[in-house]
Amino acid sequence: MNNPVLNVKAVEKDFGGIRALDDVDLVVHNKEIVALIGPNGAGKTTFFNCITGIYTPTGGDVLIDPTAEGNPRRINGKKPNVVTELGMARTFQNIRLFPSMTALENVMIGTHCRTKSAVWGAISRNKATRREEQAVIDRSYELLKLVGLEKYVNDLATNMPYGKQRRLEIARALATDPFLLLLDEPAAGMNPQETLDLERLIVDIRDQFSISIMLIEHDMKMVMSMSDRIYVLDYGRMIADGTPREIAENPAVIKAYLGESDD
Amino acid sequence: MVQFFLTAGCDSVGHAVRKSLLAAAWFVFLTFPLMVIKVNTIENTVVWRWENMGYVAVSIFLGSFVWRWLLARKELKEDNANEETSAEKLLTKVQSHPVLKYSALAVVALLAGLYPQVFDLYQTNIMISCLVYIVLGLGLNIVVGLAGLLDLGYVAFYAVGAYAYALCNMHWDIGFWYMLPVGGVLGTILGVMLGFPVLRLRGDYLAIVTLGFGEIIRLILENWGDVTMGPSGISNIDRPALFGVKLGITDSTIYMYYIMIGLLVFTIFCVNRLQNSRIGRAWLALREDEIACQAMGIDKVKTKLLAFALGASWAGMAGVVFAAKTTFINPASFTFWESAIILSIVVIGGMGSIRGVIAGAIILILVPEYLRDFAEFRMLLFGAIMVLVMVFRPQGLISAKRKIYKYNDTNTAGAANE
Ligand SMILES: Nc1ncnc2c1ncn2[C@@H]1O[C@H](COP(=O)(O)OP(=O)(O)OP(=O)(O)O)[C@@H](O)[C@H]1O
Ligand SMILES: [Mg+2]
């Protein structure tokens, strides 16, 4: 059972002449919280895009093994919706909700790939469809409650406060029933109290759903206190990985963050 | 109005007056040769009609002033967005009371049912075309309003439905009732055929390709004379028969009217159920954010094709009805202008809103019809209505409202968090 659920090997991504990711390795184990940090423009979001199918990596392998049983499966080049169906759900750095749909509907969209009703079901509204629809509604409401948004159920996503929108994105991603949740800067734009609450929420989600979580984050306090392991990306290369303590003391990381001023 | 300017401050009033004066002066200058000078070529004299100058100045000044006032009011309103208009408030109110809702529905049903009895043949015919456009609008609404795919070639599916019925009727004498579903199926097939090549396109590019598609279909109809009879079209198409009995003009028009009412009710029923289903939500998600939609596990290809296919099926059926109603069709009935009208119905009525599309069709089809007396001013007024709606209600006359879902508040998942 100690096989990684996500195993990324030597992934590369070129944009024209620019190499945004160069020989990046990374593993995530079951129920782990892994952080990916690095200066602006290091390639963190590009990494997320490469493993979720929004970009196709130029080279390398992305292997997933949802049940951690040791039979990984290569997912390079699969479409984003297929990747999500396989169990990797994500949020976006620049919030991408469905603005003119309600909070509840946003979460309901997340259940799309786990439900079946089609055109005939929609028009006839037969028993199976009604049952499925009600299950979707109830489940979505529960998820909204979990992230503390029950107050906003019927509000349009665009009218919600910024911090709440970030939480809504998490609920929506959870609705897809992932084994790995990928969060791109979930605390961006939040005040210290909100960040603290969010940290608690993320740990809760991990414990309650028994899933793995990988997050990109700039808030070092949050990263250091909640992650099991941390990866550091700089100019598209993975310069370090280890426990928070190891990372805090790693000279290469300190150099990358503070710049090469001395010597 | 005065009160508004008082609250808005003297500054803006002065500004509006100055601007309006300027506009008036400019128009006086521009229209001077036309409105004031009149050369009498027979007597070789020039008549100076100074009073016209006065009329132009006053009307432009007032017009400009009112325009500015409306614009300012609109800006003020945008601060508290999502505000409903009084019409929308009334609709919401009626809908939330079951008694009111059902009595309103009953009144509408009664009016619709009695219409051909009360009004003459001419009025009934106009109403039938209005109903056809409502069905077309609701079909296009699936593609444009719900799925957000700008389709400018929608009329192609309408044409295919109409020609399918006309040709099958001419060659093999196949009746209306058989061809109605066949028209729908043909539309669906053609919708998928158009959908495939344009899957990757969005926005302007999609619009251009679909526009081209519509024109291709029309050109085929026009030039493939052996099959389609070319520009001269097909005439003597059978009107629908009532249980095998052929009806006279009056009766069959009334019959047609009720068929259209039936088709419309069927369409509203289906579209309403579709838009509040898993599929409908996927369409909305696709419209709102394509990348997020895919990242949430929705198959973009399937969802788009489904929208094209379903939207087109209603155009196919409407086409069959159109051919049966007019008993004569030719390619001139299926120009880009038709696509543009149907699109305007959706956009002006309110994208994704069934009531909006109905309102849009009534305004855009019936108003020009009753303005026939004004001949050349008809299109001018048509344009003016479009501009006014787009400036003051960009979301359409009746904007779409999201459904409120009823949830069961169980306490299982959230428990660990509390
Ligand atoms: N679609 C693209 N085309 C070309 N270059 C790109 C593209 N996406 C990202 N890049 C480049 O790749 C590099 C990494 O960008 P990325 O967004 O992954 O950084 P990041 O680590 O997420 O930064 P931040 O912390 O600011 O979010 C940047 O230099 C960026 O300009
Ligand atoms: Mg980023």
Side-chain angles (χ1 to χ4, degrees), chain B residues 102-282:
Chain B
Y102 288 113
S103 39
L105 271 179
V107 169
V108 171
L110 196 72
L111 285 180
L114 288 180
Y115 191 89
Q117 258 70 43
V118 177
F119 294 98
D120 59 12
L121 209 59
Y122 170 72
Q123 304 286 349
T124 309
N125 258 320
I126 290 178
M127 198 36 107
I128 295 174
S129 32
C130 181
L131 292 172
V132 170
Y133 277 97
I134 297 179
V135 169
L136 286 169
L138 289 173
L140 186 62
N141 180 47
I142 294 177
V143 185
V144 178
L146 297 179
L149 304 161
L150 187 50
D151 182 354
L152 289 182
Y154 192 64
V155 76
F157 311 120
Y158 184 44
V160 164
Y163 268 86
Y165 176 53
L167 290 171
C168 289
N169 186 260
M170 186 175 73
H171 294 301
W172 303 293
D173 215 23
I174 301 178
F176 171 83
W177 287 110
Y178 295 101
M179 286 309 290
L180 190 61
V182 173
V185 171
L186 278 177
T188 310
I189 293 170
L190 207 70
V192 174
M193 273 169 55
L194 167 68
F196 261 112
V198 300
L199 278 174
R200 291 164 178 281
L201 303 179
R202 243 189 303 173
D204 309 352
Y205 302 101
L206 178 65
I208 291 166
V209 174
T210 50
L211 178 107
F213 175 77
E215 284 303 286
I216 288 170
I217 296 284
R218 189 180 61 81
L219 287 173
I220 290 176
L221 295 178
E222 210 152 84
N223 294 308
W224 197 13
D226 299 342
V227 175
T228 64
M229 321 289 275
S232 54
I234 301 170
S235 49
N236 287 327
I237 304 165
D238 281 343
R239 294 200 167 84
L242 182 62
F243 300 114
V245 183
K246 296 209 170 172
L247 303 167
I249 289 198
T250 317
D251 284 340
S252 73
T253 304
I254 293 175
Y255 184 39
M256 201 75 230
Y257 173 85
Y258 288 118
I259 290 174
M260 259 335 282
I261 291 279
L263 185 60
L264 178 61
V265 170
F266 170 72
T267 311
I268 292 176
F269 176 83
C270 290
V271 173
N272 184 43
R273 288 204 155 179
L274 278 171
Q275 74 179 7
N276 289 317
S277 71
R278 169 173 176 267
I279 309 235
R281 287 190 298 269

Side-chain angles (χ1 to χ4, degrees), chain A residues 84 100 105 117 145 204 208, chain B residues 278 288 295 402 409 413 417:
Chain A
T84 306
S100 58
E105 282 179 310
S117 81
K145 241 173 36 174
D204 259 356
Q208 202 181 314
Chain B
R278 169 173 176 267
E288 303 273 290
R402 293 313 308 149
D409 192 352
N417 204 23

Side-chain angles (χ1 to χ4, degrees), chain B residues 2 21 34 46 134 147 149 159-160 174 205 247 291-292 308 347 370:
Chain B
V2 175
L21 275 177
L34 279 172
V46 176
I134 297 179
L149 304 161
V160 164
I174 301 178
Y205 302 101
L247 303 167
I291 290 182
F308 272 119
V347 174
Y370 290 120

Side-chain angles (χ1 to χ4, degrees), chain B residues 42-57:
Chain B
I42 300 164
E43 294 175 18
N44 272 336
T45 53
V46 176
V47 188
W48 300 88
R49 298 173 298 174
W50 294 109
E51 72 280 6
N52 277 354
M53 192 163 144
Y55 296 144
V56 168

